[in-house]
Amino acid sequence: MVELKLTKKEAYMQQSMENIKSNTPFSEFWRKFKKQKLAFVSFFFILFLIALAIVGPFIVPYDIAEPDYNNVLTGPTAEHWAGTDAYGRDIFSRIVAGTQISLYVGLTSVFLGALGGTFFGLIAGYYGKKVDAIIMRGCDVLLAFPGILLAIGIIAILGPGLGNVIIAVAIFSVPVFARIVRSSTLAVKSTLYVEATKSIGAVPRRIIWKHIFPGTLSSIIVYFTMRIGSAILTAASLSFLGLGAQPPSPEWGAMLSGGRDYLNIAPHVTIFPGLAIFITVLAFNLLGDGLRDALDPKIKD
Amino acid sequence: MFRFIIKRILEIIPILFLVSIFIFMFVHMIPGDPARLVAGVDATLADVELVREELGLDKPIVEQYFTYMKNLVQGDLGKSLKTGRAVSEEIGARFMPTFWLTVWSMAWAVIIGLLIGVVSATKRNKWQDYFGMFGAVSGLSLPSFWLGLMLIQLFAVKLGWLPTGGMETWKSFILPAFTLGTGVAAVVARFTRSSLMDVLKEDYIRTGRSKGLSERKVTWGHGLRNAMIPVVTMTGLQFGFLLGGSVVIETVFSWPGLGKLLIDSVAYRDYPVIQAEMLIFALEFIVINLIVDLLYGILNPQIRYE
Amino acid sequence: MDQPVLKVNNLQTYFTSDAGVVKAVDGVSFEVSKGETLGIVGESGSGKSVTSLSIMRLLKDTPGRIADGEILYEGRDLVKISENDMRKIRGNDIAMIFQEPMTSLNPVFKIGRQLEEAIILHLKFSKKEARERSIEMLTSVGISRPEKIVHEFPHQLSGGMRQRVMIAMAMACNPKVLIADEPTTALDVTIQAQILDLMRNLTKTTDTAILLITHDLGVVAEMCDRVVVMYGGRAVEESDVLSIFANPKHPYTQGLLASIPKIGERLDRLQSIPGNVPIPSRMPEGCKFAPRCPHAMDICWEKEPEYKEVITNHSVRCWLHEEVPQDESELVGSTQH
């Protein structure tokens, strides 16, 4: 009888222990992230886009470069789901093939920008004083130019082309990442943990990479995702303006630009590439929002 | 407050200085010989040397910078390679159309963005909130040039209600201003929502309710007034977004503004104009941010009454 | 005894979260009469603040809702009346002072405007009359130069001054009940005494009933006529202030009292209750205090004791004061570790 009574107490104590064990940061993140339904769906949609970017050019039903003058500017049909353009090329095939370009431009440019920004941000935040002042003034100057204008300026110097668009977008992402990483670094740096590591004589580089960098990682991931959407938009805008990808590239912005002249007779030439840009950017933005809510309670509403 | 203003103005001086160096260096960063680029592809060697002297490119670089700045202060921005007219004239004629386009875009975007943000924050996790926030994230993801073309297709080509482009009547403003403002309205809505939701958690909001004030008075009177402080700062930063966006939108709508001039100049490699445009955009952005900072001071009594 | 002006019957306030329903306040009853000061004592997490917010119906923006019970103000049940009617009571009949004077005033409005708001709303004064009333109230809370203070912003005042302003604001419409939630916790010790004096003097003249929510038994001793001790969302002991201090019945109350350092008594370490209030979603099945109780018995883990009046005007919820069946009393002993 006594034993039976004691189990209630023991059960209580045991349950308390389990509660402490079961909450790892990742399971906590996954639990919160799964609740963000739109972000969850976007995540899988982006995986699908990545798969499409890899295999897309091999599985498209039509050749993306070969003109077909018998089928010029036809609207959507069973054969041509999104219609054909001024050269009779299948728009659906070109959009699928273009996924590669947009994702490549978005990912590389933001990756390079994040790399540079993280480097400068960590250095500025960790060393402080003069180093910080110089890096941050540099950021101020770059941020004094509205993003896309800086990109246009850079392209004016380097000349039009997709490669230069990547460089331009990367450069104007650098100060944004540098600022975020710097402020997170300052916050992490002041924690007791890093102070303690410093006092036992760890070398700066080790402190930065082992202790400060992981602490800033969650804000980097969130901004990285959100930035990809706007990088894809910027790259498409520049291609639309004739400064990025050049025809006959199936880049979505360039395709759209090509459709402008036929807006009144064949609007589908502009509608579908634009929809592709919109949905892709929307997916990245929704994923970014979801990650922000799940990862970073500081930026959270 | 006076000290605050002085401090802010003093703070932008080093940035202006660095920006001026950056823009001065612009022509020098172009791979190849700047004198040859400015003189044009067909120029003879003698022409190139003439241009080099005219631009002072044969002098030491520090001296070149001071000459550049001296000319700049006197309003001399050089000559357009395309038209041969003074760059200041070219830009002067294009400034107002862009200015009005950005002002109208900003005006509607801020009003609508604020409304959506406040409704979303007060109807948190209800359909109004989901609707507003999904609309906002969509607005953020729309390629503006595509939106512009779709609006032209619908309202100009199909329905014939509005002009396809140019700047003749007030009707010409509607489509470009709507297109340009969409992204900003989305950002303002999202930011207002999160800012107001933060404020509505504050203790003084509870104090307001405990006095018996209605929800409307608490939200619009006590809440929004506080939430506006960060929103104003963020809205100022969006001006940069608008200036950038104007380049794209002006091309779509054939708007006779600075943005279209910039794209035409890039295509023509008209470097003096590009250089001057970069300067104008940077200056405009810096000045707007200064104004926003001052507005921040006015809205925030802790700064106003130092 | 006077007719109670505020009477809370079996109040239940539940919070809904992903983890399920949490009973933040679970069946609390008490009453307070004209001119009387009732203390509600407990640690953070005991449900005392939620009780006060429930009375004011200020649970908006929290996942909480009043699930059951009555809150009778002059015979009207505040749980049932419309939001519109409730607004007429808030700040007018029942006013509230909060813990954080630094953040409880709106930083962008002048003091005068914040004071006048409720006066204009409830007493239907003109702007000029409201200004006069504000200045009169500021004078009564001991603020010198009130004509100047009305033109100042909260950040220009000290914490003690701001709490005086909060009191002036709460008392401006002559409320019948004043709820003070930890009114002095955030203040310096010297200021604390001044603020408590002020509250006592102000309410004595107006016969206002006070509901004083605090974790500080020193404040209770100084201010209160009667005390309700709360733990884990439940009232565990209630009596007049003298009996509570002289003869605490519940082990939790005894623990709270033991944790006050007494002057002249040298302790090697402060006596305090081991452990924390359990997370509401993890309340034990039996007595909520069992995991921390030095006298916990098996029955305490098994079943929750009833809330009973053991002596006249002294109620307690504890198995130590109930008739325990003989065979189980043998198991009394410290099983806590």
Side-chain angles (χ1 to χ4, degrees):
Chain A
M1 187 177 180
V2 173
E3 260 173 32
L4 191 88
K5 295 262 167 63
L6 280 177
T7 41
K8 278 231 162 129
K9 180 181 172 188
E10 276 163 8
Y12 178 80
M13 296 295 177
Q14 228 157 37
Q15 210 186 335
S16 304
M17 296 299 291
E18 274 162 20
N19 256 32
I20 294 159
K21 266 186 268 168
S22 66
N23 284 336
T24 66
F26 185 76
S27 69
E28 179 74 353
F29 160 74
W30 190 245
R31 190 183 64 79
K32 283 189 190 159
F33 183 65
K34 268 197 300 194
K35 279 202 333 199
Q36 315 278 339
K37 289 189 197 75
L38 281 174
F40 201 65
V41 172
S42 302
F43 177 66
F44 286 103
F45 181 70
I46 288 166
L47 288 183
F48 167 74
L49 283 179
I50 291 171
L52 204 60
I54 297 165
V55 301
F58 305 110
I59 58 158
V60 290
Y62 292 89
D63 190 295
I64 57 161
E66 197 62 43
D68 173 4
Y69 294 110
N70 296 323
N71 277 311
V72 171
L73 295 174
T74 47
T77 57
E79 290 91 60
H80 298 284
W81 290 353
T84 61
D85 65 8
Y87 299 94
R89 296 173 299 197
D90 180 51
I91 292 176
F92 177 74
S93 299
R94 287 172 65 77
I95 288 175
V96 171
T99 313
Q100 203 178 43
I101 302 171
S102 286
L103 287 192
Y104 172 70
V105 172
L107 287 167
T108 0
S109 60
V110 180
F111 180 74
L112 291 176
L115 207 65
T118 307
F119 174 74
F120 285 116
L122 282 174
I123 303 243
Y126 183 78
Y127 289 102
K129 302 205 181 83
K130 268 211 181 109
V131 181
D132 184 30
I134 291 169
I135 292 175
M136 283 303 118
R137 285 302 82 71
C139 287
D140 287 344
V141 172
L142 287 182
L143 288 174
F145 298 92
I148 195 171
L149 288 174
L150 191 63
I152 290 173
I154 294 166
I155 286 168
I157 295 172
L158 300 176
L162 209 55
N164 293 339
V165 166
I166 294 177
I167 296 172
V169 174
I171 290 178
F172 84 70
S173 300
V174 168
V176 182
F177 278 100
R179 280 199 168 176
I180 296 156
V181 172
R182 174 181 173 266
S183 65
S184 321
T185 307
L186 289 177
V188 179
K189 194 176 132 189
S190 61
T191 58
L192 221 56
Y193 181 57
V194 173
E195 290 291 325
T197 319
K198 221 169 166 178
S199 72
I200 59 166
V203 287
R205 211 174 51 189
R206 197 184 147 76
I207 297 176
I208 291 179
W209 288 114
K210 279 249 157 173
H211 304 297
I212 293 185
F213 181 67
T216 59
L217 203 58
S218 68
S219 22
I220 295 175
I221 291 173
V222 170
Y223 271 88
F224 190 88
T225 318
M226 294 188 144
R227 222 39 218 184
I228 292 174
S230 66
I232 293 175
L233 268 186
T234 309
S237 306
L238 291 171
S239 294
F240 173 78
L241 294 172
L243 304 176
Q246 304 294 323
S249 163
E251 204 277 343
W252 295 337
M255 285 173 72
L256 228 155
S257 172
R260 263 186 83 182
D261 299 333
Y262 315 106
L263 199 58
N264 44 359
I265 51 165
H268 66 271
V269 183
T270 37
I271 290 175
F272 292 105
L275 267 180
I277 301 172
F278 172 56
I279 293 170
T280 306
V281 175
L282 184 66
F284 278 104
N285 282 339
L286 288 171
L287 178 65
D289 280 358
L291 286 175
R292 179 197 55 196
D293 289 350
L295 270 178
D296 202 344
K298 271 170 294 166
I299 337 180
K300 206 183 161 184
D301 45 56
Chain B
M1 185 65 186
F2 184 68
R3 264 178 45 208
F4 173 77
I5 295 172
I6 297 293
K7 202 176 134 226
R8 280 296 135 121
I9 291 174
L10 287 178
E11 266 172 13
I12 63 167
I13 287 175
I15 294 182
L16 281 176
F17 174 67
L18 289 171
V19 165
S20 73
I21 291 182
F22 186 85
I23 287 174
F24 163 71
M25 291 303 291
F26 184 76
V27 175
H28 294 265
M29 281 189 280
I30 301 163
D33 179 3
R36 169 153 283 285
L37 280 168
V38 172
V41 192
D42 313 324
T44 64
L45 212 66
D47 285 341
V48 173
E49 286 312 309
L50 203 71
V51 168
R52 193 186 308 283
E53 233 169 88
E54 198 180 307
L55 295 178
L57 289 168
D58 50 345
K59 303 215 170 67
I61 195 135
V62 179
E63 198 186 321
Q64 284 183 42
Y65 173 73
F66 281 110
T67 317
Y68 170 75
M69 286 306 286
K70 207 181 97 197
N71 291 339
L72 192 66
V73 173
Q74 289 166 350
D76 179 5
L77 295 162
K79 279 199 187 93
S80 162
L81 302 181
K82 191 174 159 193
T83 61
R85 295 205 304 165
V87 172
S88 49
E89 265 177 58
E90 292 276 351
I91 286 185
R94 306 290 195 113
F95 186 80
M96 287 326 273
T98 298
F99 176 79
W100 284 116
L101 180 60
T102 40
V103 165
W104 285 115
S105 307
M106 199 66 175
W108 87 259
V110 167
I111 294 169
I112 298 297
L114 274 177
L115 272 172
I116 294 175
V118 172
V119 170
S120 282
T122 48
K123 304 276 178 192
R124 194 180 177 180
N125 293 337
K126 299 210 174 81
W127 69 266
Q128 294 97 327
D129 183 21
Y130 291 129
F131 192 77
M133 284 306 109
F134 190 77
V137 76
S138 302
L140 213 59
S141 312
L142 272 174
S144 59
F145 49 96
W146 181 64
L147 176 65
L149 291 174
M150 293 298 108
L151 293 173
I152 291 176
Q153 155 70 16
L154 181 63
F155 292 102
V157 177
K158 257 203 174 138
L159 300 170
W161 292 350
L162 297 165
T164 54
M167 190 185 78
E168 277 88 40
T169 59
W170 62 270
K171 277 184 177 172
S172 315
F173 274 88
I174 297 176
L175 292 182
F178 179 82
T179 313
L180 186 53
T182 307
V184 177
V187 176
V188 172
R190 281 158 65 97
F191 202 79
T192 304
R193 173 179 182 265
S194 76
S195 176
L196 185 57
M197 278 190 333
D198 281 346
V199 166
L200 289 179
K201 277 183 216 139
E202 293 284 344
D203 290 343
Y204 53 79
I205 293 298
R206 194 182 50 187
T207 307
R209 292 195 181 118
S210 80
K211 280 191 238 179
L213 298 180
S214 63
E215 262 325 289
R216 202 168 48 85
K217 269 191 180 157
V218 169
T219 306
W220 292 92
H222 286 255
L224 197 60
R225 183 67 210 302
N226 281 281
M228 279 307 285
I229 297 173
V231 169
V232 161
T233 306
M234 195 274 326
T235 306
L237 292 174
Q238 292 307 306
F239 254 107
F241 184 90
L242 273 188
L243 292 175
S246 69
V247 176
V248 181
I249 298 304
E250 288 183 7
T251 305
V252 172
F253 289 95
S254 310
W255 195 261
L258 289 172
K260 190 160 185 310
L261 179 65
L262 178 63
I263 296 304
D264 294 346
S265 307
V266 170
Y268 197 83
R269 313 199 105 197
D270 194 346
Y271 288 106
V273 178
I274 300 173
Q275 195 179 17
E277 287 245 17
M278 298 284 283
L279 181 74
I280 294 285
F281 279 124
L283 273 182
E284 215 173 312
F285 196 34
I286 290 171
V287 168
I288 288 163
N289 276 308
L290 177 70
I291 294 171
V292 166
D293 268 351
L294 300 182
L295 208 59
Y296 177 86
I298 291 169
L299 281 173
N300 190 344
Q302 296 201 28
I303 290 178
R304 202 173 356 143
Y305 291 81
E306 269 181 314
Chain C
M1 203 167 172
D2 281 332
Q3 184 68 16
V5 55
L6 183 74
K7 188 171 174 169
V8 172
N9 269 339
N10 188 34
L11 178 69
Q12 317 231 6
T13 303
Y14 294 174
F15 281 69
T16 320
S17 70
D18 330 326
V21 174
V22 166
K23 299 176 177 181
V25 177
D26 190 8
V28 169
S29 306
F30 55 79
E31 54 185 61
V32 57
S33 308
K34 230 177 167 186
E36 186 187 39
T37 300
L38 174 71
I40 298 184
V41 186
E43 286 164 286
S44 50
S46 62
K48 59 190 196 309
S49 286
V50 177
T51 305
S52 65
L53 290 177
S54 301
I55 296 170
M56 290 294 275
R57 281 204 3 208
L58 285 176
L59 292 166
K60 197 186 149 64
D61 283 343
T62 72
R65 72 197 158 82
I66 298 172
D68 201 5
E70 290 176 322
I71 299 167
L72 298 171
Y73 168 74
E74 292 185 332
R76 288 168 82 194
D77 187 355
L78 301 186
V79 177
K80 297 215 172 67
I81 64 173
S82 72
E83 179 59 28
N84 252 333
D85 289 341
M86 191 62 216
R87 268 209 299 275
K88 285 175 196 141
I89 287 177
R90 269 188 222 129
N92 190 20
D93 299 275
I94 308 179
M96 191 157 176
I97 312 171
F98 299 96
Q99 179 172 357
E100 288 297 335
M102 303 310 276
T103 53
S104 290
L105 289 165
N106 191 333
V108 303
F109 292 139
K110 290 176 179 171
I111 299 296
R113 171 168 174 183
Q114 298 192 52
L115 272 163
E116 286 150 27
E117 221 168 18
I119 299 170
I120 292 170
L121 184 74
H122 294 301
L123 304 182
K124 312 274 181 262
F125 279 16
S126 69
K127 252 203 121 84
K128 195 165 156 282
E129 292 167 327
R131 173 54 52 94
E132 282 162 13
R133 173 79 179 151
S134 302
I135 289 172
E136 182 191 318
M137 285 314 295
L138 287 174
T139 315
S140 74
V141 294
I143 287 179
S144 51
R145 294 180 303 140
E147 303 83 1
K148 193 163 166 289
I149 297 293
V150 289
H151 293 294
E152 291 197 344
F153 284 95
H155 73 269
Q156 293 167 294
L157 307 181
S158 69
M161 287 277 270
R162 288 191 218 181
Q163 200 61 306
R164 283 171 196 269
V165 171
M166 285 298 289
I167 294 172
M169 208 153 89
M171 298 301 290
C173 300
N174 296 318
K176 304 267 178 22
V177 181
L178 176 67
I179 301 175
D181 188 355
E182 304 271 12
T184 57
T185 309
L187 302 174
D188 288 345
V189 184
T190 43
I191 313 286
Q192 281 189 17
Q194 292 173 17
I195 296 290
L196 290 177
D197 267 349
L198 177 67
M199 280 174 57
R200 205 171 27 219
N201 294 337
L202 265 182
T203 50
K204 198 175 280 170
T205 48
T206 53
D207 240 8
T208 309
I210 302 183
L211 210 58
L212 182 69
I213 285 129
T214 181
H215 69 283
D216 186 344
L217 285 166
V219 172
V220 171
E222 200 171 328
M223 294 283 294
C224 298
D225 303 308
R226 272 183 321 112
V227 187
V228 174
V229 181
M230 280 186 73
Y231 188 85
R234 288 182 168 280
V236 293
E237 187 163 1
E238 178 180 351
S239 184
D240 63 283
V241 72
L242 288 177
S243 314
I244 287 276
F245 278 85
N247 186 17
K249 301 246 181 257
H250 198 282
Y252 178 62
T253 317
Q254 293 163 0
L256 280 181
L257 283 166
S259 64
I260 319 174
K262 292 185 185 66
I263 297 166
E265 192 177 298
R266 198 167 160 274
L267 286 173
D268 287 336
R269 61 188 176 90
L270 279 179
Q271 285 260 4
S272 67
I273 311 163
N276 291 313
V277 179
I279 323 163
S281 59
R282 294 266 309 106
M283 281 293 173
E285 254 179 78
C287 171
K288 309 286 182 249
F289 189 58
R292 299 169 71 189
C293 183
H295 309 293
M297 304 172 287
D298 284 344
I299 181 100
C300 304
W301 288 94
E302 198 70 18
K303 237 177 95 186
E304 195 168 15
E306 301 262 309
Y307 195 42
K308 274 191 185 153
E309 194 164 348
V310 285
I311 316 170
T312 318
N313 280 328
H314 197 149
S315 307
V316 69
R317 185 195 289 279
C318 181
W319 283 115
L320 291 173
H321 305 279
E322 292 221 14
E323 291 297 313
V324 181
Q326 201 56 51
D327 60 321
E328 291 185 37
S329 62
E330 291 161 17
L331 300 166
V332 174
S334 174
T335 43
Q336 219 273 325
H337 276 302

